[in-house]
Amino acid sequence: MDDLAATNRTDGENGTAEASAVPGPESGPGPEALPGGRAKPKTDKSEATRALILETAMRLFQERGYEKTTMRAIATEAGVSVGNAYYYFSAKEFLIQGFYDRMTYEHAADAKRRMAHTRDFSERLQIALTSWLDTAAPYHEFSAQFFRTAADPTSSLSPFSNESHPARATAVELFRDVLQGSELAPKLDAELVELLPDVLWLYLMIVVLYWVFDRTPDTERTREFVRRSTPLAARVINLSRYRVFRPIVRDAKGLIQDFILPTIGKTAVK
């Protein structure tokens, strides 16, 4: 079945899928799909195969570059058929989505562990952002290649796309934990508390953009940006609880609700 499915696919210049959906490696209906054409493994063996394909793809992207790496090359290096590779990732771009999903999960787990013993909001925020930089560090060399595609607002790789919803939801939930686990949350307006996790995720996107173009050793300028900007962000948020700043807070909430949140895809593609 795998080899037959592979004949129905061709690797284009960018290694994208060009034909109809590939049936699974076994007869019967395929597995439940993740958003954007990623198969959800149902057994330990299929999970291991999916992880192998993803790990191989990340290595080849580092060695050859994203554009020059085809799905056929990934399958060959992983020791699986092309049909099997397409079974788990219906196009090369969804390998990047799989990478986003995994890295976001690893970041959230690491950040929660690091900030478990502090309730200071500024410290928790800095820990969460620094944790992202540490988690993403091995992939910095080829991050600009991904950014060129992700910067396209019509691309499913955009962090604002519906296809990116699972990774984005994990990150937003982490920032909800950053706030709710702090001493600051009970002092803030309830509506602002509800909005802030999305806003803090946008703050992370600013850090990511700076990180992509940072060529200092160990991205030290980005790390310094985080060290200096998180106390400032915490002070601004803290000031919002005082009555004199309430009109400004209401205006800010209106801008966020009317112009920022509507640009973020909320629903995962089925």
Side-chain angles (χ1 to χ4, degrees):
M1 181 68 76
D2 292 348
D3 294 335
L4 177 61
T7 64
N8 293 328
R9 296 271 182 166
T10 56
D11 278 325
E13 180 180 351
N14 294 327
T16 55
E18 297 177 349
S20 59
V22 175
E26 300 175 355
S27 61
E32 182 182 353
L34 290 166
R38 291 161 286 164
K40 181 182 292 184
K42 287 190 173 181
T43 67
D44 290 343
K45 182 178 179 180
S46 61
E47 175 59 40
T49 301
R50 184 180 186 275
L52 172 62
I53 295 169
L54 185 57
E55 291 287 350
T56 302
M58 291 302 104
R59 176 170 58 81
L60 292 182
F61 292 159
Q62 287 179 299
E63 294 174 358
R64 307 178 185 182
Y66 176 73
E67 297 296 336
K68 294 181 180 179
T69 301
T70 65
M71 288 290 282
R72 186 174 297 278
I74 293 167
T76 299
E77 286 286 324
V80 302
S81 70
V82 177
N84 221 355
Y86 277 120
Y87 173 68
Y88 290 105
F89 300 94
S90 63
K92 187 175 71 171
E93 64 192 72
F94 295 121
L95 283 158
I96 306 304
Q97 289 290 358
F99 163 68
Y100 286 166
D101 293 345
R102 187 185 68 179
M103 198 184 82
T104 303
Y105 175 82
E106 291 175 353
H107 165 226
D110 179 69
K112 289 179 180 180
R113 183 176 65 253
R114 293 191 192 190
M115 63 186 183
H117 302 296
T118 179
R119 296 193 68 241
D120 181 83
F121 174 70
S122 179
E123 290 181 15
R124 291 172 68 85
L125 181 58
Q126 182 172 330
I127 288 169
L129 296 176
T130 301
S131 171
W132 188 93
L133 295 176
D134 292 340
T135 304
Y139 311 102
H140 184 253
E141 287 302 315
F142 63 103
S143 61
Q145 299 176 56
F146 296 157
F147 179 76
R148 284 198 296 271
T149 303
D152 180 354
T154 65
S155 171
S156 62
L157 294 183
S158 166
F160 297 92
S161 70
N162 284 336
E163 290 87 349
S164 295
H165 175 79
R168 186 173 57 249
T170 299
V172 170
E173 189 58 32
L174 168 63
F175 285 112
R176 192 178 309 281
D177 186 42
V178 168
L179 180 60
Q180 295 286 9
S182 75
E183 87 296 346
L184 183 60
K187 304 174 184 177
L188 298 178
D189 177 85
E191 189 175 355
L192 184 60
V193 169
E194 184 61 29
L195 291 175
L196 272 176
D198 283 297
V199 176
L200 293 175
W201 175 78
L202 291 170
Y203 176 24
L204 172 63
M205 292 299 98
I206 295 172
V207 172
V208 171
L209 178 61
Y210 195 93
W211 173 83
V212 166
F213 293 100
D214 186 358
R215 289 297 175 262
T216 58
D218 194 29
T219 58
E220 182 54 39
R221 284 187 63 84
T222 306
R223 293 176 183 276
E224 182 63 18
F225 174 73
V226 168
R227 282 192 290 268
R228 293 174 59 178
S229 63
T230 47
L232 176 61
R235 285 198 296 270
V236 170
I237 293 171
N238 185 53
L239 286 173
S240 70
R241 62 194 179 97
Y242 294 106
R243 186 183 303 275
V244 67
F245 293 106
R246 291 293 172 82
I248 298 175
V249 172
R250 283 196 296 270
D251 289 343
K253 287 193 296 187
L255 286 171
I256 293 167
Q257 290 172 320
D258 295 341
F259 294 98
I260 296 178
L261 296 186
T263 68
I264 303 175
K266 291 291 185 182
T267 305
V269 172
K270 301 296 185 183

